[in-house]
Amino acid sequence: MSVKLHIPGVNDMTTETKNTFALNQWYVAALSTELVDQPLARTLLNQAVVLYRDDSGTVWALDDRCCHRALPLSHGTLEGKAIRCGYHGMLYDGTGQCIDVPGQNTIPKRAKVNSYCIEEKDGLVWIWFGDEGQSEPLNSAPDYPVHTSGEYVWGGGVFYYAAPYQLIHDNLLDLSHLGYVHLLTIGGDPNTHMTADMKTTVDGDCVTVVRHMRDSTPPPTYLAAYPFNDKIDRWQEIEFMPSHLRIWTGGVNIGEGHLDDPNRGGFHMRGFHGVTPETESSAHYIWTIATNPQTDSDAILNKVVDQTALTFEEDKVVIEAQYQNMLKFGNEPMVSIHVDAGATHARRIIEKLRTRA
Amino acid sequence: MSVKLHIPGVNDMTTETKNTFALNQWYVAALSTELVDQPLARTLLNQAVVLYRDDSGTVWALDDRCCHRALPLSHGTLEGKAIRCGYHGMLYDGTGQCIDVPGQNTIPKRAKVNSYCIEEKDGLVWIWFGDEGQSEPLNSAPDYPVHTSGEYVWGGGVFYYAAPYQLIHDNLLDLSHLGYVHLLTIGGDPNTHMTADMKTTVDGDCVTVVRHMRDSTPPPTYLAAYPFNDKIDRWQEIEFMPSHLRIWTGGVNIGEGHLDDPNRGGFHMRGFHGVTPETESSAHYIWTIATNPQTDSDAILNKVVDQTALTFEEDKVVIEAQYQNMLKFGNEPMVSIHVDAGATHARRIIEKLRTRA
Amino acid sequence: MSVKLHIPGVNDMTTETKNTFALNQWYVAALSTELVDQPLARTLLNQAVVLYRDDSGTVWALDDRCCHRALPLSHGTLEGKAIRCGYHGMLYDGTGQCIDVPGQNTIPKRAKVNSYCIEEKDGLVWIWFGDEGQSEPLNSAPDYPVHTSGEYVWGGGVFYYAAPYQLIHDNLLDLSHLGYVHLLTIGGDPNTHMTADMKTTVDGDCVTVVRHMRDSTPPPTYLAAYPFNDKIDRWQEIEFMPSHLRIWTGGVNIGEGHLDDPNRGGFHMRGFHGVTPETESSAHYIWTIATNPQTDSDAILNKVVDQTALTFEEDKVVIEAQYQNMLKFGNEPMVSIHVDAGATHARRIIEKLRTRA
């Protein structure tokens, strides 16, 4: 059961036979809504990139460094399908090729920057870095029909974590913390969470944790968004994949639905959680939350998004404090308890995917 | 006379034969008034601890790290005699033993954290770390009857210094700086301070510096707190011990008291100065000031406490600037002058007490 | 053409055979107006100095560290021709000799600090550090008659750069950036700048870049300060010396003056740019701007100074972002373009002057 986290300053991250990150994965680079008419600077997996949407709507990702004097291209301006540096005006197309050097007719042969594969799907912008020799994606970027099926309304945001990405995995795979950390929103009675029916399964690089909490008191966010009668049957279905998680939670009036029925009614919160490392010790948390209001759709969506943001801010405080404390105390042993099963599987998968070919 | 300070970045602190700090000492961890109904996080001698007062009034100190996921226990909540982690709810008693793991019946054998000896006396909370093999105190924590004798009223505070603790020792053992640094409060004419009668004695691990400044002008704080006629005879009695200093200063109308008489009258300011290293390069300064108002006790106490706080803020500015400058200039020689005698003795004592058994 | 910058964190600065900086030069330490009745702390070429003007008007520079307890002397107070430490009152004259130790009659032999040669000329305070064995200046500090000839009015300021000084050289020697960075003030049409007639000459340790942009649209600052008819002939004459640059820019109504005539009329902006390293990775930018208002001298000078400050703030943003990005991307190659000629010569000169005798 003892699978160590790779925590900078505590355990070293990279070895001769391991990459720093699981590289052959699609990672979430941004929400589609973040890219309108301005370039966006974001460091992803230790690589500073500039993302931009060209005038035909296509999104591009380049190294965020002009090859002339190293100014970030994200300080520049968009022109048609290209981006122009804000220092001496060199112009790059979406493949990273320099296509104009103001004041001279020839373009130096070396005047280009790296570009990365982008796929935009269902409101998410995905990026592929790839392992040595695998800059072409091995597969298509993931679908996320929750955003586009019409069953749900949704919103989201991007949080910055001054903590390693695997601590976010731990947090999301172990929702027993809701009763201690999130009392004001989606928590509820701690004992309900700690004694939930829990089933953990592993399928390839995916871990699923299903938790059922029958006959429990609906927490504040649930009561604010849905007309429950009294006690409810709650579910939490957590799917972990190496670069993101999907978490479907919700509740039905007690006895009114089978928690195993995929078409069950009641109140739904479907979370998407892109957990994209910035560096070994920091991460972007690119999230959305979708719900199914019975009435007054805008107001309920706003409430659900606001309370979700509040909940994630509580997680951020805990996880950043946890990381600072890990740095302070160093590599002291951690004692596992029964709710850690899903997180332990996830760590094994990341460990395996970091291994070099 | 040349005893070097151990200043991180200038001189190394620890060697094979030296501990980082003088360990077999009681250090001040907190003022009693700091511990009411919330846990207090404080790093003392490089150890992050959580301090809390249980529901029977007893104060406990544990390593500030849950053994499960390393969250600081100081993020948790107090329950009876115990403290519960704010992430997944593990509960610890004051000895550091985990006594509840929510959601499971058995408590893992390794589920415990370190605890430290605490004694609370006369309004001060003392902690003992001890050298290798000496976690039990060698003696009882110091008394400080000034707080409890009824002769004085007192108040205090806790200051944080981004500077090594020994620079605070230097400052307090060499009160000749009053005429340059504290003109607005307890200073007075610089020459009076620099030419005071001064007598330095060493007794075991204690250094005493007694300074008499006869026929001097009372400084602003004295005039604000006591109805002096005109010129005064001032005294400063400084007692240094390895973890704290006691400084008794005051003045009588000129000729009205013997400065050597322990029952002399006049205006008294009795300072307690707990100088507890946080790390090699930072310190907590836990201080109180006691005085003997002739009238209007509350107003005069407030004035004396406020002016003392102001004075200590002036010291903090000087000492932090001094340390930054030592880092900037590195290990350049320091030239000693006659007022440094007490500080030099104190450095020798610390040096001796850092030596390993 | 490939002359590397020495950028801390990217290329190492110092080697066995190179000094960190070109030392046998007069550097600008301050504007004369900065030194009135208070000491000024400033780190120059890695040396923390205190500058002060004594009561006879002479400026002195000492190591900013009292030899007793290492407090910066800049925390002290001025007394006649000397400066007194703000901790225990040691008094130093302008040569660095301690001339008073309060409370004792003899002054320890070692009680002194280093002093540096200062020359004050034409509103600028110059300092000489010198190479090993060359603490005496090899020549007199530069004149700058623009400040004193009576032809111009002028103002200035001091900016702090969190970036290596050579990136400021690059910026000033390559004014083609005006069309991209300074559109709101002294920019104008980018193509005008990128296709200017440009002539670069080297004479000893001085590089001159002369650029003529005929028949161009006057930029906002020009229009605000001078009654141009329509299109103008612009010039930029940049003189680089190892510690400072002089940049004479301006414009005349099209066809109304010969751009090579040193007595030409029109609108003038004459910039003085002292680029004094603070450390390898930071710099002071001590600048003035002089102009020749036709009417309403004060208002036009204020406008020119304000717009120049705004322009330099834009440069600071670019250069600091450039340096951060160089740290992020490390030692990746830079592609040179034709406008880099002047900067490349300047780098060669600095490289040569850093070589040890």
Side-chain angles (χ1 to χ4, degrees):
Chain A
M1 273 295 273
S2 156
V3 177
K4 284 208 176 140
L5 287 172
H6 293 96
I7 301 295
V10 180
N11 297 300
D12 279 336
M13 196 74 192
T14 313
T15 67
E16 257 180 77
T17 57
K18 297 275 184 188
N19 292 313
T20 304
F21 306 110
L23 293 174
N24 286 327
Q25 305 290 328
W26 287 101
Y27 283 91
V28 186
L31 298 174
S32 289
T33 49
E34 291 185 273
L35 295 168
V36 186
D37 55 2
Q38 296 295 323
L40 175 68
R42 189 160 280 165
T43 295
L44 304 165
L45 285 72
N46 279 333
Q47 184 62 51
V49 300
V50 55
L51 298 156
Y52 73 93
R53 187 182 298 282
D54 74 19
D55 65 0
S56 73
T58 305
V59 175
W60 302 97
L62 306 180
D63 273 359
D64 193 13
R65 172 191 182 274
C66 178
C67 70
H68 173 227
R69 282 289 177 265
L71 191 73
L73 290 174
S74 52
H75 282 236
T77 47
L78 301 185
E79 263 186 52
K81 306 220 165 344
I83 184 165
R84 193 179 287 281
C85 180
Y87 203 172
H88 304 91
M90 285 172 82
L91 186 71
Y92 297 88
D93 71 16
T95 71
Q97 180 61 52
C98 177
I99 54 177
D100 182 31
V101 179
Q104 69 188 59
N105 294 323
T106 59
I107 291 169
K109 206 173 162 182
R110 295 188 305 152
K112 58 188 169 193
V113 300
N114 293 320
S115 65
Y116 301 95
C117 287
I118 291 285
E119 278 192 35
E120 186 174 16
K121 268 190 182 175
D122 300 331
L124 299 168
V125 177
W126 298 84
I127 193 166
W128 178 275
F129 288 103
D131 201 345
E132 187 72 33
Q134 192 58 60
S135 62
E136 287 305 306
L138 292 166
N139 46 38
S140 187
D143 297 312
Y144 190 56
V146 166
H147 282 171
T148 43
S149 68
E151 287 177 82
Y152 296 100
V153 290
W154 60 282
V158 179
F159 279 23
Y160 182 82
Y161 268 75
Y165 67 104
Q166 288 190 289
L167 297 183
I168 308 178
H169 293 171
D170 278 6
N171 177 270
L172 295 171
L173 278 158
D174 183 358
L175 295 189
S176 70
H177 72 271
L178 267 57
Y180 298 102
V181 180
H182 305 308
L183 288 176
L184 298 176
T185 52
I186 58 173
D189 175 35
N191 280 328
T192 303
H193 288 284
M194 299 309 293
T195 58
D197 286 341
M198 185 170 94
K199 192 169 152 200
T200 303
T201 52
V202 179
D203 180 9
D205 295 340
C206 178
V207 180
T208 307
V209 179
V210 177
R211 295 160 52 87
H212 290 166
M213 295 165 291
R214 293 172 202 280
D215 192 11
S216 65
T217 306
T221 301
Y222 282 42
L223 284 174
Y226 196 85
F228 287 113
N229 299 334
D230 187 11
K231 292 293 187 75
I232 64 173
D233 291 334
R234 284 180 78 173
W235 72 86
Q236 299 171 326
E237 298 190 5
I238 305 158
E239 282 180 282
F240 164 88
M241 279 136 297
S243 70
H244 61 290
L245 293 94
R246 299 168 186 198
I247 302 182
W248 183 15
T249 61
V252 290
N253 283 319
I254 192 164
E256 278 190 4
H258 289 284
L259 297 190
D260 296 322
D261 176 4
N263 296 313
R264 62 193 176 270
F267 173 63
H268 293 199
M269 288 177 73
R270 298 191 82 135
F272 176 89
H273 312 256
V275 182
T276 307
E278 180 193 53
T279 67
E280 292 87 340
S281 57
S282 57
H284 303 288
Y285 183 46
I286 302 169
W287 59 272
T288 69
I289 192 78
T291 192
N292 59 341
Q294 305 303 298
T295 57
D296 206 358
S297 182
D298 283 1
I300 286 183
L301 175 61
N302 285 343
K303 191 177 297 283
V304 166
V305 170
D306 288 353
Q307 299 230 332
T308 299
L310 180 61
T311 299
F312 292 170
E313 277 161 16
E314 289 169 335
D315 282 324
K316 180 173 150 72
V317 168
V318 163
I319 289 171
E320 291 182 347
Q322 178 192 15
Y323 178 49
Q324 287 305 312
N325 219 35
M326 292 171 85
L327 291 177
K328 204 178 274 178
F329 279 89
N331 201 357
E332 288 201 13
M334 293 202 179
V335 175
S336 286
I337 60 177
H338 87 298
V339 289
D340 300 330
T344 302
H345 287 299
R347 291 179 191 185
R348 285 207 184 106
I349 289 165
I350 295 290
E351 195 62 17
K352 180 193 73 184
L353 293 173
R354 290 178 51 228
T355 306
R356 288 199 185 141
Chain B
M1 273 295 272
S2 156
V3 178
K4 283 209 178 138
L5 287 172
H6 292 97
I7 302 294
V10 180
N11 298 299
D12 279 336
M13 196 75 191
T14 313
T15 67
E16 258 179 76
T17 58
K18 296 275 183 188
N19 291 314
T20 305
F21 306 110
L23 293 175
N24 286 326
Q25 304 292 328
W26 285 101
Y27 283 91
V28 186
L31 297 174
S32 289
T33 49
E34 291 185 273
L35 295 169
V36 186
D37 54 3
Q38 295 294 323
L40 175 69
R42 188 160 280 165
T43 294
L44 304 166
L45 285 73
N46 279 333
Q47 184 62 51
V49 300
V50 55
L51 298 155
Y52 73 92
R53 187 182 297 282
D54 73 19
D55 64 1
S56 73
T58 305
V59 174
W60 302 97
L62 306 180
D63 272 359
D64 194 13
R65 174 190 181 273
C66 177
C67 70
H68 173 226
R69 281 289 175 266
L71 191 73
L73 290 174
S74 52
H75 283 235
T77 47
L78 301 185
E79 263 185 53
K81 306 218 167 343
I83 184 165
R84 192 179 288 282
C85 180
Y87 203 173
H88 303 91
M90 285 171 82
L91 187 72
Y92 298 87
D93 70 17
T95 71
Q97 179 61 52
C98 178
I99 55 176
D100 182 31
V101 180
Q104 69 187 57
N105 294 324
T106 58
I107 292 169
K109 205 171 163 183
R110 295 188 306 152
K112 58 187 169 195
V113 300
N114 293 321
S115 65
Y116 302 95
C117 287
I118 291 284
E119 279 191 35
E120 186 175 17
K121 267 190 181 175
D122 300 330
L124 300 168
V125 177
W126 298 84
I127 192 167
W128 178 276
F129 288 103
D131 200 344
E132 187 71 34
Q134 193 57 60
S135 63
E136 287 304 307
L138 291 167
N139 45 39
S140 188
D143 297 312
Y144 190 57
V146 167
H147 282 171
T148 43
S149 68
E151 286 177 82
Y152 295 100
V153 291
W154 60 280
V158 179
F159 279 22
Y160 181 83
Y161 268 74
Y165 67 104
Q166 289 191 289
L167 297 183
I168 308 178
H169 293 170
D170 277 6
N171 177 270
L172 294 172
L173 279 158
D174 182 359
L175 295 190
S176 69
H177 73 269
L178 266 58
Y180 298 102
V181 180
H182 305 307
L183 288 176
L184 298 177
T185 52
I186 57 172
D189 175 34
N191 280 328
T192 303
H193 289 283
M194 298 309 292
T195 58
D197 287 339
M198 185 170 93
K199 191 171 154 199
T200 302
T201 52
V202 180
D203 179 9
D205 295 342
C206 179
V207 180
T208 306
V209 179
V210 177
R211 293 160 53 87
H212 290 166
M213 295 165 290
R214 293 173 202 279
D215 191 11
S216 65
T217 306
T221 301
Y222 283 42
L223 284 174
Y226 195 86
F228 288 112
N229 300 334
D230 186 9
K231 291 295 187 74
I232 63 173
D233 291 333
R234 285 180 77 173
W235 72 85
Q236 299 172 326
E237 298 190 6
I238 306 159
E239 282 180 282
F240 165 87
M241 280 136 297
S243 70
H244 61 291
L245 293 94
R246 298 166 187 201
I247 303 182
W248 184 16
T249 61
V252 290
N253 282 319
I254 192 163
E256 279 190 3
H258 288 284
L259 297 189
D260 296 321
D261 175 3
N263 296 315
R264 62 193 176 271
F267 172 62
H268 292 200
M269 288 178 72
R270 297 190 83 136
F272 176 89
H273 312 256
V275 182
T276 307
E278 180 193 54
T279 66
E280 292 88 338
S281 57
S282 56
H284 303 287
Y285 183 45
I286 301 169
W287 59 272
T288 69
I289 192 78
T291 192
N292 58 341
Q294 306 304 297
T295 57
D296 205 0
S297 182
D298 283 0
I300 286 182
L301 174 62
N302 284 342
K303 191 176 296 283
V304 167
V305 170
D306 287 353
Q307 299 229 333
T308 300
L310 180 60
T311 299
F312 292 171
E313 277 160 16
E314 289 170 335
D315 282 324
K316 179 173 150 73
V317 168
V318 163
I319 290 171
E320 291 182 347
Q322 178 192 18
Y323 178 49
Q324 286 306 308
N325 218 36
M326 292 172 84
L327 291 177
K328 204 177 273 178
F329 278 88
N331 200 358
E332 288 201 12
M334 294 201 177
V335 175
S336 285
I337 60 176
H338 87 298
V339 289
D340 299 331
T344 302
H345 286 300
R347 291 178 190 185
R348 285 206 184 105
I349 289 165
I350 295 289
E351 196 60 18
K352 180 194 74 184
L353 293 173
R354 288 177 53 229
T355 306
R356 287 198 187 141
Chain C
M1 274 296 272
S2 155
V3 177
K4 284 210 178 139
L5 287 172
H6 293 96
I7 302 294
V10 180
N11 297 299
D12 280 337
M13 197 74 191
T14 315
T15 68
E16 258 179 77
T17 57
K18 296 275 183 187
N19 292 313
T20 305
F21 306 110
L23 292 175
N24 286 326
Q25 304 293 327
W26 286 100
Y27 283 92
V28 186
L31 298 174
S32 289
T33 49
E34 291 185 273
L35 295 168
V36 185
D37 55 3
Q38 295 295 323
L40 174 69
R42 187 159 282 165
T43 294
L44 304 165
L45 285 72
N46 278 334
Q47 184 62 51
V49 301
V50 55
L51 299 156
Y52 73 93
R53 186 183 298 282
D54 73 20
D55 64 1
S56 73
T58 305
V59 175
W60 302 96
L62 305 180
D63 273 358
D64 194 14
R65 172 191 181 274
C66 177
C67 70
H68 172 227
R69 282 289 176 265
L71 191 73
L73 290 173
S74 52
H75 282 235
T77 48
L78 301 185
E79 264 186 52
K81 306 218 165 343
I83 185 166
R84 192 178 288 282
C85 180
Y87 203 172
H88 304 90
M90 286 172 82
L91 186 72
Y92 298 88
D93 70 16
T95 71
Q97 179 61 51
C98 178
I99 55 175
D100 182 31
V101 179
Q104 68 188 58
N105 294 324
T106 58
I107 292 169
K109 205 174 164 181
R110 296 188 305 151
K112 57 188 169 194
V113 300
N114 293 320
S115 65
Y116 302 94
C117 286
I118 291 284
E119 279 192 35
E120 186 173 18
K121 267 190 183 176
D122 300 330
L124 299 167
V125 176
W126 298 84
I127 193 165
W128 178 276
F129 289 102
D131 201 344
E132 187 71 35
Q134 192 58 58
S135 63
E136 287 304 308
L138 292 167
N139 44 39
S140 188
D143 297 312
Y144 190 57
V146 167
H147 282 170
T148 44
S149 68
E151 285 177 82
Y152 296 99
V153 291
W154 60 281
V158 179
F159 279 23
Y160 181 83
Y161 269 74
Y165 67 104
Q166 289 191 288
L167 297 183
I168 308 179
H169 293 170
D170 277 6
N171 177 270
L172 294 171
L173 279 158
D174 182 358
L175 295 188
S176 69
H177 73 270
L178 267 58
Y180 299 102
V181 180
H182 305 307
L183 288 176
L184 298 176
T185 53
I186 57 171
D189 174 35
N191 280 327
T192 303
H193 289 282
M194 299 308 293
T195 58
D197 286 341
M198 184 170 95
K199 193 171 152 198
T200 302
T201 52
V202 179
D203 179 9
D205 296 340
C206 178
V207 180
T208 307
V209 179
V210 176
R211 294 160 54 87
H212 291 166
M213 295 166 291
R214 293 172 202 280
D215 191 11
S216 65
T217 306
T221 301
Y222 283 42
L223 284 174
Y226 195 86
F228 288 113
N229 299 334
D230 186 10
K231 291 294 187 74
I232 64 174
D233 291 334
R234 285 180 77 173
W235 71 86
Q236 299 170 327
E237 297 190 5
I238 306 158
E239 281 180 283
F240 165 88
M241 280 136 295
S243 70
H244 61 291
L245 294 94
R246 299 166 187 202
I247 302 182
W248 183 17
T249 61
V252 290
N253 283 318
I254 192 165
E256 279 189 3
H258 289 284
L259 297 189
D260 297 319
D261 176 2
N263 296 313
R264 62 194 175 270
F267 172 62
H268 293 200
M269 288 177 74
R270 298 191 83 136
F272 176 89
H273 312 256
V275 182
T276 307
E278 180 193 55
T279 67
E280 291 88 338
S281 57
S282 56
H284 304 287
Y285 182 46
I286 301 169
W287 59 272
T288 69
I289 192 79
T291 192
N292 57 341
Q294 305 304 299
T295 56
D296 205 359
S297 183
D298 284 0
I300 285 182
L301 175 62
N302 285 342
K303 191 176 297 282
V304 167
V305 170
D306 288 353
Q307 299 229 333
T308 299
L310 179 61
T311 299
F312 292 171
E313 277 160 17
E314 289 169 336
D315 282 324
K316 179 172 150 74
V317 168
V318 163
I319 290 171
E320 291 182 346
Q322 179 192 16
Y323 178 48
Q324 287 306 310
N325 219 35
M326 292 171 85
L327 291 178
K328 204 179 274 179
F329 279 88
N331 200 359
E332 288 201 13
M334 293 202 179
V335 175
S336 285
I337 59 177
H338 88 296
V339 288
D340 301 330
T344 302
H345 287 299
R347 291 179 191 185
R348 286 206 184 106
I349 289 165
I350 295 289
E351 195 62 18
K352 180 195 73 185
L353 293 173
R354 288 177 51 228
T355 306
R356 289 199 184 140

